[in-house]
Every structure is written in structure tokens, then in C-alpha cells.
Amino acid sequence: MKRLILIDGSNIMFRAYYATAYTGNLMENSKGVYTNAVFGFVNMMNSIVNDDFTHIMVAFDKGKATFRHEMFEDYKGGRKPMPDEFRMQIPLIKESLEHLGIKMLETELIEADDIIGTFTKKYYNDFDEIEIISNDKDLLQLVNDKVYLKVSRKGLKDFTIYNKTTLKEAMGVYPSQITDLKGLMGDASDNLPGIKGVGEKTAVKLLDQYENLENVIADKDNIKGKLGERIRNDFEQALLCKKIATIKVDCEVEEPIDYFAYSGPNNESLIEFYQEMEFHSLIKRINKTVVRKPNLDFNFKLITDSFELDKILVDDSFIVLESFNSNYHLAIPLGFAITNKLGSFFVPYNLIHQSLSLQMFLSDELMNKSVYNLKMMKVILLNDGYDICGVNFDLLLAAYILNPSNTKDDFRVVVSNFDYNDVSYYEEIYGKGAKYQIPLDDMYQKYAVKKTIAIKELKEQLLTELKENNQYLLFHEIELPVASVLAKMEVAGINVNQDYLEELNIELTGRIENLTKDIHELANKEFNISSPKQLGEVLFEDLGLKASKKTKTGYSTGSEVLEKLLDHHPIIEKIMMYRMLTKLHSTYIIGLKNSILKDNKIHTIYRQAFTSTGRLSSIEPNLQNIPIRYEEGRLIRKVFIPSSHNFLLASDYSQIELRVLAHMANEDNLIQAFRNGEDIHTKTASLIFDKEEISSLERRVAKAVNFGIIYGQSAWGLSEGINITPKQASQFIEKYYARFPGIKAYMDKVVSDATVKGYAETIYNRRRYLPELSSSAYMQREAGKRNAMNAPIQGSAADIIKIAMIDIDKALTKQKLKSKLLLQIHDELVFDVHYDEVEIIEKLVKETMENCISLKVPLVVDQHKGKNLYETK
């Protein structure tokens, strides 16, 4: 059967953009190119081409002006301007069609609807069936015996199909009456007024009686009441609206119909396009259906005898430890892939238990090794009593330093940033969801060996780039050694007081139950307190509180809304407490209980190559985000305890980011204040308010300004944080810059340099790339400026604490001390201190942290010890 699909490209791409844009978190690739509309559009096209058809065409509007604007100047006049973030994606959307093997058309002064209309008439006899895909119901006028319209309710999966019969059932009119309907009732989306006061129901009744608009107008003098008056007043306007709404079916089409025959995508160019866009999920989809040409140079030997290992373990080897499970504390180690001058090999993991040669080779400092994710390898090996040393290259860390946005969880995604694609995606090997499993054949062995070859191929390129960027020191002296420190910390883990954790569980559960009962009583009904929709109805309909805003999904019940209602009803305070306690219970009580391993400890994973600033983040579980704002949250810290008879020592950098700012900005007033040991927030308040005696409120304002400056906070953001007017906040910021001119000059220079270079950098040349600074969208540029101001400060502080960790680890090892570094919580280091070493460790840690780097201001460390983490604060 010959079947033609006609797609309203303009309609589809608008839907693709706004389907994700409403969240405010637009997709963009590592080069700063927005891609959310392209991704959505391509996904929709992929859904369509899975259908059964012979020919396909996508029509677009070309430009703003059409022949309809000549007829009615305000045609589509009510529509908002197209966002710049969307506009810049349109050429990429059209390019995607070329790679997908789909032809498109666009014509000056003509809309996509008219091109589609012309195809339905011109090629009517060439096809058994013609399908139109669009949510524009103007196209319903084209429906007939062969032509039907598919309108989607959600994505391109849930369709309503309109033919002559279903259209009449759904709307009460026939296709030929759609333009009459538009003439009578108008169309708000196109800014067509129609007849004022005539809605859809009235228009349908008139057409049921008169068949068309012209017949209605012919009898206008006999139609009584307000309706007759309205028709007599606006009938000329109605005729114009009908004319405007009528789709042209006689546009010129030069290409023969066979030009639009579909023969499939150009997979080679499509993959290249997807790689440029960084659509890795779509590349995986192609890989599942396309047989890729094997690399004929690729071969490896499976080592099954431990005695063979002596022949292949040589200097300058590229090694991958393949394992199964994203949480490598629980991973099943599968084996070692090794590539070197002797060839490529796969060594099953069990051979390490049999081979002293392999154990010694891995731990030999003099045998140079290149790897991917040293920290992960080290943790797995240390958990089995082995180790890996002599690593002089880690592809993951090198890629991360070159551009923090390069690194994701998937090896293939990382190397594709360097135009290397001869390796599978993790998901293609191990599956996902219910199908996540170790493959039965040798797939994972080939996959692992392919990774070692990739490391070998990319090593020199990445090292050259690091040296060109003056980042080799950052790579070799900070990130590589700190990976080993973090591995030791992760393996050590931290002890948990499970009895106290259960006490907290019982206490919080009871309080949540009591709060639930109280809230239901105050609401005079039972409802799901955790449902924003149900909560909004209770607060703003049942209890009559004043709503700030209502969206399509219901009333807003965010924390900022509730805080403004605190004094209006006793239910609000209880709801806020309920939210806090349920969050604590689910995230920390239950979350921590589920994270305790067989040794009764929690072993977090530090994501070393993840954040854009160089700071570490923590997962499974996150131990860097334990709440301290409320006492209920702080009590969770009591769960974390030292080894038997030992102490926990917390050593925290005091105001390190402000100290880094003073150093980098070379701001004399700030430098002198820190050198004199003054309270920096009191000093700032004194300068801002021009007085010596400072109140606690004034100090709080100064503190907010100090930290706001670091994060590039706007006057509006500051005003929200300390509950003052934006004008007052702006005055505070201006005064701050006047009193600290070096900071203003520094911040302006940072933004200016980052705009020219495309990145901001730390003391140790860590870069944060900021493509948003060149965005045509104001809000994106402003976000880029804030990031440019913050990245050097936060990143430098992150580098400093990493250096301290490395130096402390060296000292602990050299002095053969029993105490261990357990946690890094941003600016704080937590140690399990042996009871015989308390004074030694306190002195060693404080001196090392305060002297690991020389700045223009002193670094100061505050220390507290206790029998649990709560006591260290």
C-alpha cells in the first residue's frame, strides 16, 4: 500500500522545545550549544519512521510574514517572541532531517499548512492513504476519505485520529465546516477575532442549522436577540477570518513525488550528527540495529594459566579492571584487560589469588601503568587485600581536568569527546533494568580490552593538551595522588551506631504520625500531605488561604509559599515540620540503614570527576549533605562514631573561600583583616555601615553580602535571603564594592577574561568552561557571569583541601600512625583518631592544613573532637 506521511515540522519542533523548556533546565552539549528542541524533534521523527509508509515530507513555515499578514496585519499577533535558545536550534533541527533521510519543504510567504494542503490535493490519487501529523486543528479541513489527521495528547504515543466520522463525533462539524467554525468563533492562537461573543457551542449550533458561514450571514437579519446583533456587527470580520483560516491547496511544488520516497536514514552521518550533539542514547539505539564493522586490527589473548602472566606483565602497560555493579564496594570483579608492547590480553580476576607475579606487578611503584578510574580500581583491590601503584595516567581524570563536562559514567561517552568511538556503551554490554546482567559470552572481555586500547590511543593527546593548558601539575600532583587518598578513605568507611539509628527511626516515625493526625484535624479531612495537588486544594480551597499562584498542575505549595503563610494558619508550621521530618526519615534514616555493609560501616563513594568546580561530591550515600540547619538534622550526626576507644576529629577550614577571594583579588582591606585575625563579617559590617559598634543583625547582613559576592549573587537574590528590598540589597552591594575596590576590579576582570577565553580558572589552572557567557539569552549570560565569579574561588578552595589531604596522608604513612582520614565534607576533614595519638594528630593535621599552600592571608583551621560526629560541631 502506498502511504504518504505529511508532518507539520513547525508544530512538532515547537512542541519538542516546550516539552522540556518549561522546567528551565535546557539541554546543552559540552560546547554550550542548546539541544533540547533538537533532541525532542529527532525522537519524534524516530517514532514516526517506525510506522509503515512509502513517502514522507516535513513542512516548515519560512519566516514570520505570510500572505495572511497582508490580509490581516494582526494575524498571530498575540504570540510570544521565539526564545533565542529555541531559534538557534532550528538550523540543527532541519539538518537532522537530512541525516534521517527525510525531505523537507519551506516556501516564502507560505505556511507549513499550505504546503501540506497542496500535497493532499496534488498527490491525492497517487496514494492509498495520506496521514497528517500535527496538533494544529486548522488541518482538520483537509480530512477526507483518504486523508486523516493524527493529534497527539502526549509526545507521539497517545494519539487522537480524526477522520470524517470521528471529527463529527468529537466536534460536531464536518471537515468542510472547519473554516466556517473559525470564521464564527475565531481562533485565539492565530489572533483571529471571529464574531465577538460567539463561542464554540454557539458556532456548532449555527453550522448544524445553516451548514456554512455564508448561509448564516444571508439570514443574519432574521436571527433574533444578541446573537443576531453580534453577527450583523461582525459578519465582515467573520468572512475575513474564514478566508484567512482556509488552507491553500495550490502552492507550487517543483519536486516530483518520488523525491519524497523514504529509503531510511544515513546511519553513518546520523551517528556523526548525534556525536556532535552528544545524543548518546540515540547512538545506542542505532548500534542495536546496525551491525558495525569490526576493527580488523583488534585481537586479544585470554590468559587462563597463572604461569602465563610472567610473560605479559611489562612496564608501560594500559590496564582496566572490569567489574559488574555501579557501586564498586559491592562490585563483582571480572578481570584485568591489559594492553602493552606484547599485545592485548584479558586476565580473569580469580588469577590474582593464584599469581604472586600479578600481585607484585600491580603494586610495583616502578612499573608504569595507565588506567581508567584509578580510585575505583584501588578500592576493589584494597578490599581484597591487594593494591595498584605506579599509575602515571588516568584517562578519566585527564579528561575531567581538560573539561569537567567531559566526564560521565560511561567510558564511551568520555572518549567520544576526543573523537574516539571504537568502543561500546556500557549498556550495550551489560543491559539495563531487568536485563542488567553479566553477559554469558566474552563480550565484556572484548569490551574491557577495547578500553585499554582507547587509553593507549588517547594518552599522548590528552597529556599534550594538559601541558598546553598548564594543567599537568594539577593532574599529576593533585588529582592522581588524591585518587589514592580517597580510595583509602572509601575502603576504611565509617562506623555506625545502629542502635541509635533505630532510636531515631522510632522517634521520627512517631512524630510524623502525630503530625499527620494534627494536620488532618486542622484540615477537617484526611488527605495525602505529600501530594502538592491535594495539599494545595486543602490550603487554598478548603481553608481559604490566599494562593500566590496556580499552575496547570495545581497550586504552588513550595517552601517559599508556605513561609509567607506561616502566621496565617497553625496548619502551615506543622506541614513544614512534617516535610522536614519525612525528608530526614526517608533520605537519612532509611537511606543510611540501607547503606550499611556487612562490616557494619558505611562506605561512601566520592565522585572525583564530576562537579564543574573541582569539589568532591559523595554518593551511596551522600555524606556531605547531612543537614545541620535544624537540631533534628544535626542529631543524625550522632549516628557516625569512631572505632572502639577512638575519637572523631573534625578539622574545618575557617572561611576558606573568603580567604581565597582576598588572595586572588589582592584586596588590601580584606587581607589586613585576615592577617589581624579580625572577625571578617564584623569588619565588613563596620565598613558597610560606617560604624564601630555592630549589631547582630548588621553582622548577619554583612555575612550574607560576603558569601553572596562569592557566589555572584544578584541584589534580588540577596534581598530574598535576608528579607530586605532589592534596592537596599543593591545599595549594600555597591557599598561593599566601594569599601573593597580590589574585589570589584577582580570580579570584573574574571568575567571579562572568561568571556574572551570561554573559561574561568583557579590558582592551579583548573578550568570551568562557560559557553553560556556567549549566549544570546540574557538570563543565560547572567548565570555565566555568576559561575565565572564563583568557579575560581570555589575551585581553588577545593584544590587546597585536596593538597592538604595528600600531605596528611603522606605524613600518616611516613610516621606509621594508626589514625585514619575518613571523610571529606567540603572544607572539613574527619579523622578516626587512635586514643594514643590524639595530640599528635591534632597538631599534625592543623599544621599541615594551614601550611599546605602559601597565600597572602593565613589559612586557619578549627578543630573539635568527640565520640561521634555530632560532638565535633
Side-chain angles (χ1 to χ4, degrees):
M1 181 174 76
K2 289 190 71 177
R3 188 162 173 267
L4 170 64
I5 294 181
L6 302 172
I7 301 169
D8 183 350
S10 295
N11 178 269
I12 296 289
M13 71 179 183
F14 268 87
R15 285 164 52 208
Y17 175 79
Y18 285 106
T20 52
Y22 76 94
T23 64
N25 186 22
L26 300 182
M27 283 174 61
E28 56 182 309
N29 65 12
S30 59
K31 299 177 182 67
V33 176
Y34 291 108
T35 58
N36 65 307
V38 186
F39 184 76
F41 184 86
V42 169
N43 265 316
M44 291 178 178
M45 290 300 111
N46 281 328
S47 296
I48 292 168
V49 298
N50 286 331
D51 209 344
D52 185 23
F53 63 94
T54 56
H55 295 68
I56 188 169
M57 185 274 296
V58 178
F60 288 98
D61 299 334
K62 188 171 186 179
K64 291 182 178 178
T66 70
F67 70 92
R68 291 181 176 86
H69 288 90
E70 297 172 4
M71 298 163 62
F72 182 54
E73 188 176 347
D74 290 333
Y75 176 61
K76 295 187 177 181
R79 297 192 178 183
K80 294 179 181 178
M82 182 184 291
D84 292 332
E85 296 92 337
F86 178 21
R87 188 184 306 280
M88 63 181 64
Q89 295 183 63
I90 293 176
L92 295 170
I93 286 171
K94 293 175 180 177
E95 181 187 343
S96 73
L97 289 172
E98 180 183 342
H99 305 301
L100 288 164
I102 299 172
K103 300 296 191 296
M104 57 158 278
L105 284 180
E106 54 184 354
T107 305
E108 294 286 353
L109 301 178
I110 300 297
E111 294 183 55
D113 290 6
D114 303 306
I115 297 172
I116 290 171
T118 298
F119 268 63
T120 62
K121 182 175 181 183
K122 184 170 183 177
Y123 300 118
Y124 183 83
N125 294 322
D126 294 295
F127 293 94
D128 301 301
E129 195 172 271
I130 299 176
E131 174 185 299
I132 303 171
I133 298 177
S134 176
N135 275 27
D136 184 353
K137 292 186 178 179
D138 283 351
L139 291 161
L140 288 168
Q141 64 191 272
L142 302 175
V143 168
N144 55 42
D145 293 331
K146 282 187 183 179
V147 180
Y148 62 90
L149 177 69
K150 286 178 77 171
V151 175
S152 67
R153 288 194 288 265
K154 187 176 181 182
L156 279 178
K157 295 179 180 178
D158 188 8
F159 280 107
T160 297
I161 297 177
Y162 289 101
N163 54 36
K164 285 170 63 176
T165 306
T166 57
L167 175 59
K168 178 64 175 173
E169 291 172 354
M171 296 181 63
V173 294
Y174 293 106
S176 60
Q177 295 176 307
I178 290 293
T179 53
D180 301 293
L181 188 69
K182 298 276 184 179
L184 287 165
M185 62 178 279
D187 186 343
S189 67
D190 288 340
N191 201 34
L192 299 179
I195 295 174
K196 292 174 185 175
V198 174
E200 185 173 355
K201 286 184 180 179
T202 303
V204 170
K205 284 182 181 178
L206 286 170
L207 292 176
D208 191 47
Q209 180 181 351
Y210 290 98
E211 293 189 3
N212 59 48
L213 175 62
E214 286 75 12
N215 290 343
V216 173
I217 293 170
D219 198 37
K220 65 183 184 298
D221 294 329
N222 296 320
I223 299 175
K224 297 178 182 179
K226 281 281 186 184
L227 179 59
E229 183 183 332
R230 288 167 176 162
I231 294 171
R232 289 188 288 276
N233 286 339
D234 291 338
F235 73 90
E236 291 180 345
Q237 189 169 267
L239 287 168
L240 176 61
C241 289
K242 175 178 178 177
K243 187 176 182 182
I244 291 171
T246 301
I247 292 173
K248 284 173 65 70
V249 293
D250 58 353
C251 303
E252 290 187 13
V253 179
E254 298 178 0
E255 292 82 358
I257 191 59
D258 286 343
Y259 175 75
F260 301 96
Y262 182 70
S263 57
N266 180 340
N267 282 316
E268 190 173 328
S269 71
L270 186 59
I271 288 175
E272 289 179 7
F273 177 74
Y274 287 167
Q275 286 170 347
E276 184 183 348
M277 295 295 101
E278 297 173 14
F279 295 161
H280 296 284
S281 62
L282 299 181
I283 298 173
K284 292 176 195 174
R285 203 178 295 171
I286 293 177
N287 289 347
K288 286 180 181 178
T289 58
V290 177
V291 178
R292 289 179 292 167
K293 294 179 181 178
N295 182 344
L296 299 178
D297 296 330
F298 169 67
N299 58 75
F300 74 97
K301 182 179 180 181
L302 176 64
I303 305 296
T304 57
D305 187 337
S306 61
F307 292 107
E308 293 183 84
L309 287 168
D310 291 333
K311 303 174 184 176
I312 68 166
L313 302 177
V314 296
D315 190 30
D316 199 21
S317 287
F318 301 84
I319 307 172
V320 163
L321 172 51
E322 192 66 14
S323 62
F324 178 74
N325 196 321
S326 58
N327 183 340
Y328 49 71
H329 292 297
L330 305 172
I332 301 171
L334 302 175
F336 301 91
I338 301 172
T339 290
N340 52 38
K341 63 185 180 182
L342 302 176
S344 293
F345 312 91
F346 188 86
V347 181
Y349 188 77
N350 67 293
L351 290 191
I352 195 172
H353 307 309
Q354 306 168 25
S355 174
L356 183 60
S357 297
L358 181 56
Q359 296 170 23
M360 292 178 65
F361 167 73
L362 290 172
S363 61
D364 191 337
E365 288 276 7
L366 300 178
M367 286 282 193
N368 291 309
K369 306 167 191 76
S370 300
V371 303
Y372 180 87
N373 199 343
L374 168 61
K375 179 166 68 69
M376 179 272 290
M377 292 178 69
K378 206 169 182 74
V379 168
I380 292 174
L381 288 166
L382 286 171
N383 277 329
D384 267 351
Y386 310 117
D387 200 357
I388 181 168
C389 303
V391 173
N392 63 9
F393 181 75
D394 182 338
L395 188 146
L396 176 65
L397 296 179
Y400 172 64
I401 292 170
L402 288 171
N403 190 340
S405 63
N406 279 344
T407 47
K408 308 294 180 186
D409 290 334
D410 198 313
F411 182 95
R412 163 65 186 271
V413 176
V414 174
V415 296
S416 68
N417 287 293
F418 303 98
D419 298 322
Y420 191 97
N421 299 295
D422 189 25
V423 62
S424 299
Y425 289 98
Y426 183 86
E427 183 185 307
E428 293 173 339
I429 305 301
Y430 296 101
K432 65 177 182 177
K435 295 182 178 178
Y436 183 56
Q437 59 189 1
I438 301 171
L440 296 175
D441 55 19
D442 63 352
M443 281 177 63
Y444 70 82
Q445 299 173 4
K446 292 178 180 176
Y447 171 63
V449 174
K450 281 271 190 177
K451 288 195 285 187
T452 62
I453 295 171
I455 298 169
K456 180 184 178 183
E457 293 295 319
L458 290 173
K459 179 177 179 178
E460 291 308 315
Q461 175 190 336
L462 270 61
L463 286 176
T464 299
E465 290 184 32
L466 287 169
K467 289 170 183 174
E468 288 174 351
N469 292 353
N470 294 317
Q471 292 177 310
Y472 185 74
L473 177 68
L474 173 64
F475 168 72
H476 196 262
E477 301 298 325
I478 298 178
E479 291 296 352
L480 260 183
V482 89
S484 295
V485 178
L486 290 169
K488 291 183 190 177
M489 292 163 60
E490 292 181 12
V491 170
I494 188 164
N495 286 287
V496 177
N497 185 337
Q498 296 187 58
D499 291 336
Y500 182 67
L501 186 59
E502 185 55 34
E503 284 179 29
L504 281 179
N505 180 30
I506 294 169
E507 181 188 339
L508 287 184
T509 301
R511 290 182 65 183
I512 290 167
E513 288 174 355
N514 290 334
L515 279 169
T516 301
K517 183 180 178 182
D518 292 346
I519 291 167
H520 287 166
E521 285 179 358
L522 288 166
N524 294 317
K525 65 187 289 187
E526 291 190 3
F527 67 101
N528 182 357
I529 305 168
S530 298
S531 164
K533 185 175 186 297
Q534 292 184 37
L535 179 61
E537 290 170 356
V538 166
L539 296 180
F540 306 117
E541 293 179 10
D542 298 347
L543 298 180
L545 296 175
K546 187 177 179 181
S548 60
K549 57 184 176 180
K550 186 177 182 181
T551 64
K552 291 180 180 179
T553 55
Y555 297 98
S556 174
T557 60
S559 58
E560 71 284 354
V561 173
L562 296 184
E563 283 172 8
K564 291 176 182 177
L565 296 172
L566 254 177
D567 298 328
H568 292 74
H569 198 286
I571 199 173
I572 301 298
E573 184 178 359
K574 291 185 180 293
I575 289 167
M576 293 177 71
M577 180 60 70
Y578 172 89
R579 282 185 173 177
M580 184 190 73
L581 294 183
T582 52
K583 169 76 172 176
L584 287 175
H585 185 261
S586 61
T587 304
Y588 297 102
I589 305 301
I590 302 303
L592 292 178
K593 284 178 72 174
N594 293 336
S595 299
I596 299 171
L597 300 187
K598 292 179 181 178
D599 60 359
N600 296 318
K601 292 183 177 182
I602 284 177
H603 299 262
T604 191
I605 291 176
Y606 285 102
R607 291 193 286 191
Q608 186 181 356
F610 183 76
T611 69
S612 56
T613 59
R615 293 182 92 181
L616 298 172
S617 71
S618 165
I619 57 170
E620 299 195 17
N622 182 354
L623 296 184
Q624 292 186 321
N625 201 30
I626 300 169
I628 57 173
R629 185 176 176 184
Y630 302 103
E631 180 64 13
E632 289 87 353
R634 287 193 290 270
L635 287 173
I636 291 172
R637 292 172 68 98
K638 286 188 177 181
V639 165
F640 300 102
I641 57 176
S643 303
S644 181
H645 306 301
N646 286 0
F647 294 91
L648 288 183
L649 172 70
S651 299
D652 192 359
Y653 275 121
S654 172
Q655 301 168 338
I656 187 171
E657 291 185 351
L658 281 171
R659 294 172 190 272
V660 168
L661 172 61
H663 171 83
M664 296 187 80
N666 197 26
E667 168 50 53
D668 287 338
N669 284 328
L670 212 50
I671 290 171
Q672 289 306 316
F674 279 125
R675 286 179 176 175
N676 296 335
E678 298 178 59
D679 179 280
I680 198 65
H681 303 311
T682 301
K683 175 71 173 179
T684 301
S686 177
L687 290 171
I688 289 178
F689 293 105
D690 294 316
K691 54 194 283 196
E692 290 298 322
E693 293 295 322
I694 298 299
S695 69
S696 59
L697 177 61
E698 289 166 336
R699 185 183 183 279
R700 188 170 74 86
V701 169
K703 182 177 180 180
V705 175
N706 272 328
F707 288 112
I709 293 296
I710 290 174
Y711 291 98
Q713 196 173 42
S714 65
W716 183 87
L718 178 62
S719 70
E720 286 285 298
I722 55 178
N723 199 26
I724 59 175
T725 67
K727 185 177 180 180
Q728 288 174 312
S730 181
Q731 289 170 346
F732 281 140
I733 292 173
E734 286 175 13
K735 213 162 188 181
Y736 181 94
Y737 281 138
R739 296 294 183 267
F740 298 107
I743 292 176
K744 173 64 173 168
Y746 168 73
M747 291 298 191
D748 288 344
K749 187 174 188 306
V750 165
V751 172
S752 174
D753 288 350
T755 303
V756 173
K757 296 178 181 178
Y759 60 85
E761 57 188 343
T762 70
I763 294 170
Y764 287 92
N765 299 318
R766 184 186 300 279
R767 295 182 179 183
R768 178 173 182 175
Y769 287 89
L770 299 160
E772 57 266 35
L773 282 172
S774 59
S775 170
S776 57
Y778 172 79
M779 295 302 290
Q780 292 295 126
R781 290 198 306 277
E782 289 302 299
K785 289 177 183 178
R786 290 193 295 274
N787 290 334
M789 294 177 194
N790 173 247
I793 301 165
Q794 193 176 100
S796 293
D799 293 339
I800 290 168
I801 199 164
K802 286 178 181 177
I803 294 168
M805 291 165 68
I806 295 164
D807 291 349
I808 290 168
D809 179 71
K810 287 178 181 176
L812 292 175
T813 303
K814 183 178 180 180
Q815 297 180 38
K816 298 181 180 178
L817 296 168
K818 299 171 187 175
S819 302
K820 294 180 179 179
L821 173 57
L822 298 186
L823 299 176
Q824 191 251 49
I825 307 175
H826 301 311
D827 303 332
E828 175 185 22
L829 298 179
V830 178
F831 298 83
D832 185 326
V833 182
H834 193 271
Y835 57 87
D836 285 338
E837 300 173 350
V838 174
E839 291 184 9
I840 296 172
I841 295 298
E842 283 182 332
K843 185 173 185 292
L844 183 155
V845 169
K846 184 175 176 65
E847 288 183 354
T848 304
M849 290 179 71
E850 291 182 344
N851 296 289
C852 66
I853 181 176
S854 177
L855 299 179
K856 296 167 188 171
V857 296
L859 290 176
V860 174
V861 172
D862 297 324
Q863 292 185 313
H864 302 279
K865 64 177 179 291
K867 296 304 289 185
N868 57 59
L869 200 57
Y870 178 87
E871 294 180 3
T872 66
K873 273 291 181 185

